[in-house]
Amino acid sequence: MDQIQKALEDLIAAIETCEEYKGYLAAKKEIKKHPLLKKKADEFRKLKFDLQRSETDIFEKTDELRQEHEEVNGNSVVWEYLTAENAFCRILRQVNWKLLESLDFDAEFEE
């Protein structure tokens, strides 16, 4: 377990130094200066998250969601934050996917 803990610490250190994570932290710091924008961005994030977990046509609904929240998406501070968060989440998904793909984990029950 010590070897895994060390590798995990190294992975965290690598993520902390990557541009995507630094960009996310900077954008998060900036949006926190604007509590109302942060609140609206969080509402948009929650709706988008719920949409991704639903059974609906995600592409059509995402366009509708963007149109409904145009004021949020049109704001550069919000846009930078959401874009930076998406880039950082992409890294986390890649890490998770690579672990599941590389290790013998039976997830056939999901199919």
Side-chain angles (χ1 to χ4, degrees):
M1 189 65 173
D2 289 340
Q3 183 181 9
I4 293 172
Q5 187 62 35
K6 171 69 172 112
L8 182 57
E9 290 169 7
D10 290 345
L11 176 60
I12 291 169
I15 291 172
E16 288 175 334
T17 61
C18 77
E19 291 305 314
E20 291 86 350
Y21 184 66
K22 290 178 184 178
Y24 168 69
L25 291 179
K28 186 169 92 168
K29 182 178 179 180
E30 182 62 30
I31 201 167
K32 282 187 172 187
K33 294 177 185 176
H34 310 276
L36 184 58
L37 285 178
K38 174 74 165 90
K39 182 179 181 199
K40 289 182 178 187
D42 287 344
E43 289 170 1
F44 178 78
R45 291 168 62 220
K46 182 181 179 340
L47 290 169
K48 189 174 173 185
F49 179 77
D50 290 345
L51 178 62
Q52 290 171 350
R53 295 183 54 169
S54 73
E55 298 291 323
T56 61
D57 178 6
I58 190 167
F59 296 109
E60 180 181 321
K61 293 293 182 181
T62 299
D63 285 341
E64 288 176 20
L65 184 61
R66 284 192 179 126
Q67 289 173 5
E68 289 173 16
H69 293 84
E70 190 173 327
E71 68 182 61
V72 173
N73 289 320
N75 184 290
S76 63
V77 173
V78 174
W79 181 252
E80 287 294 321
Y81 174 65
L82 295 175
T83 302
E85 179 188 52
N86 191 39
F88 174 51
C89 287
R90 200 173 310 119
I91 289 173
L92 296 178
R93 282 191 305 272
Q94 288 173 350
V95 169
N96 286 331
W97 181 253
K98 188 63 175 175
L99 286 171
L100 290 173
E101 182 180 66
S102 300
L103 301 171
D104 185 11
F105 180 74
D106 183 7
E108 291 179 10
F109 65 91
E110 288 189 335
E111 296 173 2

